[in-house]
Amino acid sequence: MSRTLRHALRAALFAALSSLLLVGLVGPASAAPPPTAERGENSCVGRPVPARLVSIQLWTFAEYIGFGTDAATQARHEEVLRSLSEMGYRNVEPFTLSGMTAEQYAELLRKYRLQAPARHVSVGTPEEPADIEQILAENRVLGVKYFGSGGTPQYTTEAEWTAYAEYLDTVGEQARKAGQWLMVHNHNWEFETTFGDRTAFDVLMQHTERRHVVSQLDLYWVAFAGTDPIDVIEEYGNRVRLFHVKDLNEGIERRIEIVGRGDLDFASIFRAAGGSTRYYVVEHDPRFGDPTFDPFVAAEEGFAHLTCSTR
């Protein structure tokens, strides 16, 4: 079957499924209009993504929240959750609990009517395994179903990547038995590191079982590495369960851009995925030290772009 025909079939299926998913879309997220984008008004993704499927990786706010565990850090973390709830977000993806216990953090989520269906937390490596039982226990309290490290090690040999994949498969089996899913979040190096005609990402997928390990595909990093995200989606199908929706600006050093201001064709990518995507996770890596970057603007515009809300 040609790639063009595959795209057409996937697009038809996506349209049918989306017409069912769109029931119950939320209304406007905020009374304030979005700021004018650097490259023009922030456009809509095309077919709206239901708000219940939109999340945000809190790494977007890493510089604002900070990396401490003191009361001031926790207060900033709470302020972020409050603001996201007011924007219309229903889900968040934490990268830290800022020193709070899982119970305390779960209480904050309830306070602001948020859920954390996914989480970034170090799951270790074959050389330094993590306490997976503790992570699974915290996840149960938090309501997390998908979890994984924020990045993979930058191994250089196929043997190292294979051993890492086998370790992840073991962790994924533990997760499955606990009713959870282990996810692999990529950067660019998984697609730039190759062994013959296989990438390191291929090695990870081939040495893990689909019932144990799924992919959280970071669309920016895939494109940055020179790979078409649609090709990855077509290769691995419903193993790609979550997207990090992060935009790429080809005009400014291929930098990470606010979702909707960049050059990635999210509408085509989402159509290719069909109905298998569980969560669309907005993300913008912090521009540490750059006072012109406002993570709250990035969050608000990202939500508006995906849900096609106007404010």
Side-chain angles (χ1 to χ4, degrees), residues 10-11 13-14 17-18 21 233 269-277 280:
R10 286 178 183 272
L13 177 60
F14 179 83
L17 290 171
S18 296
L21 288 172
I233 292 164
I269 293 169
F270 297 168
R271 281 197 299 270
S276 65
T277 310
Y280 301 76

Side-chain angles (χ1 to χ4, degrees), residues 125-164:
T125 64
E127 300 82 14
E128 296 184 36
D131 186 343
I132 302 303
E133 288 301 328
Q134 178 182 346
I135 293 172
L136 294 174
E138 290 180 349
N139 289 348
R140 281 191 288 271
V141 174
L142 295 167
V144 168
K145 293 298 182 184
Y146 296 90
F147 70 99
S149 297
T152 65
Q154 296 188 50
Y155 292 126
T156 58
T157 70
E158 185 174 0
E160 289 173 312
W161 282 107
T162 299
Y164 181 58

Side-chain angles (χ1 to χ4, degrees), residues 56-62 77 80-81 84 92-95 105:
I56 183 166
Q57 169 51 244
L58 297 183
W59 179 250
T60 304
F61 296 89
H77 199 138
V80 167
L81 297 180
L84 292 172
V92 295
E93 186 176 275
F95 73 95
Y105 200 87

Side-chain angles (χ1 to χ4, degrees), residues 127-288:
E127 300 82 14
E128 296 184 36
D131 186 343
I132 302 303
E133 288 301 328
Q134 178 182 346
I135 293 172
L136 294 174
E138 290 180 349
N139 289 348
R140 281 191 288 271
V141 174
L142 295 167
V144 168
K145 293 298 182 184
Y146 296 90
F147 70 99
S149 297
T152 65
Q154 296 188 50
Y155 292 126
T156 58
T157 70
E158 185 174 0
E160 289 173 312
W161 282 107
T162 299
Y164 181 58
E166 291 171 349
Y167 170 78
L168 293 180
D169 196 64
T170 300
V171 173
E173 184 176 13
Q174 286 181 261
R176 179 180 61 82
K177 291 177 179 177
Q180 300 173 31
W181 286 94
L182 178 67
M183 62 185 186
V184 171
H185 172 265
N186 65 278
H187 287 82
N188 54 308
W189 56 81
E190 294 89 349
F191 294 92
E192 294 171 344
T193 304
T194 58
F195 308 99
D197 62 351
R198 295 190 304 162
T199 66
F201 186 83
D202 292 328
V203 174
L204 290 177
M205 293 294 99
Q206 290 168 8
H207 290 276
T208 54
E209 292 191 37
R210 63 174 53 247
R211 61 178 181 157
H212 295 161
V213 179
V214 298
S215 166
Q216 180 182 60
L217 200 66
D218 189 302
L219 300 175
Y220 169 86
W221 287 118
V222 175
F224 184 87
T227 301
D228 186 343
I230 292 177
D231 289 342
V232 180
I233 292 164
E234 291 186 341
E235 176 71 21
Y236 292 105
N238 62 11
R239 285 197 78 175
V240 180
R241 295 290 184 86
L242 305 92
F243 288 138
H244 263 189
V245 184
K246 185 188 302 181
D247 217 336
L248 182 149
N249 188 330
E250 293 283 5
I252 306 179
E253 299 179 345
R254 309 193 75 214
R255 75 176 186 185
I256 296 168
E257 191 54 87
I258 288 175
V259 171
R261 295 189 188 184
D263 297 293
L264 291 188
D265 184 356
F266 293 121
S268 295
I269 293 169
F270 297 168
R271 281 197 299 270
S276 65
T277 310
R278 300 296 188 268
Y279 294 98
Y280 301 76
V281 187
V282 173
E283 184 182 33
H284 192 304
D285 291 6
R287 296 178 189 163
F288 290 102

Side-chain angles (χ1 to χ4, degrees), residues 92-131:
V92 295
E93 186 176 275
F95 73 95
T96 178
L97 303 186
S98 295
M100 288 175 271
T101 65
E103 289 77 11
Q104 290 170 328
Y105 200 87
E107 181 57 34
L108 268 189
L109 293 175
R110 286 190 290 271
K111 180 177 179 180
Y112 296 108
R113 300 180 300 282
L114 293 167
Q115 297 182 49
R119 171 193 185 194
H120 277 191
V121 57
S122 175
V123 300
T125 64
E127 300 82 14
E128 296 184 36
D131 186 343

